[in-house]
Amino acid sequence: MNPKLTLILLLLLALTGCKEDSRVKIIKMGHAQVTAHPVHNAMVFLAQRLEEKSKGRIKVKVYPNQQLGTERELIELLQIGSVGMTKVSAASLEAFSPEISVFGIPFLFRDDAHTNQVLNGEIGTELLLSCQKFWLRGLCFYDAGKRSFYTKNKPVETPADLAGLKVRVQESKMAINMVRAMGGSPTPVAYGELYTALQQGIVDAAENNPPSFYNSRHYEVCKYYSIDEHTMVPDVVLVSTKVWEELNPQEQEWLQEAADESAVYQAQLWKESVEESMREVQKAGVIVSYPSKDAFREQVQSIYDQVEAENPVLARLIERIQNTRE
């Protein structure tokens, strides 16, 4: 266990993810985003709705900006019940549920309607519950938009422009394979360390959605944003199964309802944030381009071929997603 996580555990030693203060249950919810981010505002909304539904019997305390740890650390704290809830990128869950890695398949979804159909249907439910044996229960998905490349020195108009670039990726095997297939050099870096890594030249580029690009202030370093929208990796709101099982059926129902309502609220906030973020980064001098996606699709076909040959379970899931229709 790393020293930072050990320190966090010591600070939380006297606490649990869900503690009772007389008759009030308090659930600690940590996440890595800043307070201006739609995710944080959606979590605050979730907390308000749960308190209303339970008539004050259950309260959620939201800790933003990595106050309780990074995404990886928060997952570990959920597993032992020291933190009750969190929001992480689906990419962070690949080690706990191989099926979750499907979200890292580039150009998997046709459009927003297709994405919503999958996430809100049978496949989405299966994926939310796929980590339970690791003491993690998914409650809902949050919209994390579409990921595109941003760079320091030149725009990415074709996959060839990634050649020789060190591209920051999440700690995700699928993300690493994708950037490698496109010709870049994938370099995992913690999100909280990425601004400095870009400044110091540890990496030359990264990829993320517009609100994260804007709220992280990465646009101060990277002046080219190439909207290729290669993946749509959702966020997942998680509750520790240790905390979930401490709730009675009625309380579980209230929590699930509050999470579902927060997902609807977050989707609206996200749409507004994308529009604002694109305006603001362009005001700050970022050059936004919209390269043709065809060359990128062709370049990553090898990932589909590899999955087909090596992972029949994931290949069947991809087929189910591609065949999902309204």
Side-chain angles (χ1 to χ4, degrees):
M1 186 174 292
N2 65 55
K4 184 178 178 183
L5 183 55
T6 302
L7 176 61
I8 293 170
L9 282 171
L10 289 173
L11 293 173
L12 295 172
L13 189 60
L15 303 173
T16 58
C18 179
K19 69 175 184 177
E20 294 204 29
D21 179 8
S22 63
R23 296 183 60 186
V24 178
K25 292 182 178 178
I26 300 175
I27 302 175
K28 298 196 303 297
M29 185 175 197
H31 68 91
Q33 297 291 357
V34 297
T35 54
H37 200 280
V39 159
H40 175 75
N41 293 323
M43 289 181 175
V44 171
F45 179 84
L46 184 158
Q48 292 170 343
R49 293 297 294 132
L50 182 57
E51 186 170 353
E52 291 168 3
K53 290 173 183 293
S54 66
K55 294 182 169 55
R57 287 167 50 189
I58 310 177
K59 296 185 178 182
V60 175
K61 294 186 68 175
V62 181
Y63 297 84
N65 206 26
Q66 298 190 37
Q67 289 180 39
L68 300 184
T70 63
E71 287 200 349
R72 179 71 187 194
E73 291 164 347
L74 284 165
I75 289 172
E76 293 175 3
L77 292 169
L78 253 69
Q79 289 179 300
I80 61 176
S82 292
V83 172
M85 296 177 64
T86 189
K87 183 288 306 175
V88 299
S89 170
S92 298
L93 294 174
E94 288 184 17
F96 307 99
S97 170
E99 297 91 344
I100 289 283
S101 66
V102 74
F103 292 122
I105 297 289
F107 305 106
L108 175 65
F109 296 104
R110 294 185 295 275
D111 50 33
D112 290 342
H114 181 213
T115 305
N116 292 333
Q117 189 80 6
V118 171
L119 297 187
N120 297 323
E122 180 182 343
I123 296 174
T125 300
E126 291 173 11
L127 292 171
L128 284 173
L129 300 180
S130 64
C131 300
Q132 287 194 107
K133 62 184 177 182
F134 293 101
W135 307 286
L136 304 167
R137 180 185 178 91
L139 293 173
C140 65
F141 293 105
Y142 277 176
D143 191 346
K146 307 172 187 71
R147 301 178 74 92
S148 297
F149 292 108
Y150 50 89
T151 49
K152 293 173 62 176
N153 300 317
K154 63 177 182 179
V156 176
E157 299 297 340
T158 70
D161 293 322
L162 289 168
L165 295 186
K166 293 171 290 185
V167 183
R168 180 267 176 178
V169 293
Q170 296 169 291
E171 291 188 26
S172 155
K173 181 179 178 181
M174 198 63 72
I176 290 170
N177 289 343
M178 178 195 69
V179 169
R180 187 172 289 139
M182 290 184 182
S185 177
T187 309
V189 175
Y191 186 67
E193 300 170 4
L194 180 52
Y195 188 100
T196 302
L198 287 163
Q199 271 188 322
Q200 296 178 349
I202 296 171
V203 292
D204 308 301
E207 47 89 49
N208 217 321
N209 53 64
S212 294
F213 179 47
Y214 173 56
N215 286 314
S216 64
R217 307 187 74 86
H218 293 167
Y219 65 89
E220 295 175 347
V221 185
C222 295
K223 291 301 182 181
Y224 299 95
Y225 197 20
S226 304
I227 310 299
D228 69 308
E229 299 179 331
H230 45 259
T231 53
M232 300 181 189
V233 182
D235 286 338
V236 184
V237 176
L238 296 170
V239 61
S240 165
T241 57
K242 295 181 183 296
V243 170
W244 177 261
E245 289 163 5
E246 291 174 0
L247 303 177
N248 64 42
Q250 178 62 78
E251 291 169 338
Q252 291 175 349
E253 183 177 335
W254 287 332
L255 176 55
Q256 185 64 63
E257 287 176 353
D260 290 339
E261 290 173 17
S262 77
V264 175
Y265 181 64
Q266 189 267 348
Q268 181 57 40
L269 292 179
W270 186 264
K271 181 180 178 182
E272 296 168 0
S273 182
V274 168
E275 294 169 356
E276 177 193 11
S277 299
M278 292 300 291
R279 286 196 303 270
E280 292 302 318
V281 298
Q282 289 179 87
K283 282 183 187 177
V286 172
I287 298 173
V288 177
S289 60
Y290 295 84
S292 171
K293 298 178 183 180
D294 293 341
F296 292 92
R297 285 196 185 95
E298 292 174 10
Q299 196 74 14
V300 298
Q301 182 57 46
S302 60
I303 292 178
Y304 286 83
D305 297 338
Q306 182 179 4
V307 170
E308 181 72 29
E310 299 177 0
N311 194 332
V313 173
L314 192 60
R316 284 194 294 273
L317 181 57
I318 292 172
E319 184 178 8
R320 287 176 62 198
I321 289 173
Q322 291 176 328
N323 290 335
T324 298
R325 306 284 175 182
E326 293 186 26

